[in-house]
Amino acid sequence: MQIVVRVPASSANLGPGFDCMGMALDWFDDVTLTTQPAGIDVDVTGEGAEDVPRDASHLIVSTFLTGLESLGVTPPRGLRLTAHNSIPHGRGLGSSSAAITAGLLLAWAYAHPASQPDRKWMERIGTRLEGHADNVAAVILGGLAIAWGTADAGRAISAPLSGDLRALAYIPHRAVPTRRAREALPAQVSHADATANTGRAALLVHALAQRPDLLLDATEDWLHQRYRAELMPESAALVAQLRAGGHAAIISGAGPTVIVLGTEEMLDELARTPFKGFDRRLLHVGGPAHIVSISEN
């Protein structure tokens, strides 16, 4: 059997939506799994190819095996994974969530090749593996995802987006490990900061759907970006510069990529503006992870 899947990048938090909001972007990794008589072979090209393992510990392979175990399906005797990575690693663009989602999608397609993927199952297992649902939900559902936790699982829904919404990404040349970005956060924040963030997160849902002119106010954050600034000073300075110019700039996920949200008209001039130390890319909202094809070897 050969299974081909495609998974999008994503931007989590979107300013005030810390650990509960994420958006898929039209920037994709392509993954092929082929069964074989024995052994595990991993062939990776593109972003991070020199850093990822080439055995069963590869995140897509380990997630594939975990997914099959959850589904009660015996894994193939051997497999070959071929991945072409386009999504940058360690830049806050959801590369690990894309890998986890790819593994789960491959597992579902292997176990149930004639059925549409059970995305609620994918959300449940993906959240357990990732630790929080914002990126994973966006990759699984596409578009804008709002995630929340329950007593026994993470849940998520798709939310409406303005059809002309774009994301202008400024990607720095160096990575920041997500673990370090997490460690920079305080254990507690003030009631005033939590209240302010709640109001802006609520406004952000409306701004993304109907009022992009409100995105500058709607993307203001008090919970995470200021605490991570020392880890990514160039990105923090760029966010401050862009916001002072009236642009809805945020740190994407755990950083250090900077995302500016707006319509194509709002971002047109800025999209032609370079900043030293950053690559730039104008992105559309991405669709969900999907199975491209399933065939016999």
Side-chain angles (χ1 to χ4, degrees):
M1 175 183 285
Q2 184 176 85
I3 308 165
V4 181
V5 302
R6 175 168 255 212
V7 290
S10 56
S11 180
N13 303 329
L14 306 180
F18 180 66
D19 276 2
C20 64
M21 295 179 69
M23 187 170 68
L25 303 170
D26 66 335
W27 196 344
F28 301 94
D29 283 352
D30 295 297
V31 182
T32 301
L33 182 137
T34 307
T35 57
Q36 59 186 21
I40 295 177
D41 298 319
V42 177
D43 179 24
V44 181
T45 58
E47 292 284 341
E50 65 281 0
D51 300 322
V52 298
R54 298 297 202 275
D55 55 22
S57 66
H58 187 283
L59 186 54
I60 297 177
V61 176
S62 63
T63 303
F64 171 73
L65 297 174
T66 297
L68 290 184
E69 181 181 9
S70 169
L71 294 168
V73 174
T74 302
R77 292 180 179 272
L79 61 90
R80 179 178 183 82
L81 181 81
T82 304
H84 178 67
N85 295 339
S86 171
I87 304 167
H89 288 200
R91 304 299 203 281
L93 289 166
S95 61
S96 62
S97 290
I100 288 170
T101 302
L104 293 175
L105 200 53
L106 289 167
W108 182 270
Y110 180 82
H112 302 289
S115 301
Q116 291 296 314
D118 182 342
R119 297 190 184 265
K120 290 188 181 301
W121 170 80
M122 292 173 64
E123 289 168 22
R124 186 173 70 253
I125 305 301
T127 300
R128 189 185 81 199
L129 295 175
E130 180 66 271
H132 41 89
D134 45 1
N135 277 112
V136 169
V139 177
I140 293 170
L141 299 175
L144 174 66
I146 299 175
W148 69 98
T150 64
D152 57 353
R155 297 185 61 192
I157 57 169
S158 293
L161 279 172
S162 172
D164 58 354
L165 188 74
R166 302 289 184 268
L168 177 59
Y170 286 96
I171 308 101
H173 300 157
R174 68 180 186 92
V176 171
T178 300
R179 174 187 56 80
R180 289 190 63 200
R182 283 268 160 190
E183 290 171 350
L185 300 179
Q188 296 180 328
V189 297
S190 71
H191 190 277
D193 284 353
T195 300
N197 233 70
T198 300
R200 297 308 170 96
L203 178 62
L204 180 58
V205 175
H206 179 63
L208 289 169
Q210 299 183 39
R211 291 288 303 275
D213 59 300
L214 295 175
L215 281 169
L216 179 61
D217 284 346
T219 50
E220 194 165 2
D221 158 71
W222 285 264
L223 293 188
H224 63 101
Q225 293 181 149
R226 69 177 71 173
Y227 301 109
R228 292 166 165 171
E230 289 187 3
L231 295 177
M232 50 195 86
E234 300 87 357
S235 296
L238 180 57
V239 167
Q241 178 182 345
L242 290 168
R243 293 189 69 84
H247 302 290
I250 55 171
I251 297 294
S252 182
T257 292
V258 174
I259 293 281
V260 186
L261 298 173
T263 64
E264 192 161 6
E265 181 180 0
M266 292 164 67
L267 298 177
D268 180 58
E269 183 176 350
L270 185 61
R272 297 192 294 271
T273 305
F275 291 96
K276 185 178 180 180
F278 294 84
D279 297 324
R280 69 188 188 278
R281 183 164 177 163
L282 183 62
L283 299 161
H284 291 67
V285 177
H290 63 279
I291 300 167
V292 176
S293 65
I294 304 174
S295 60
E296 295 300 323
N297 292 358

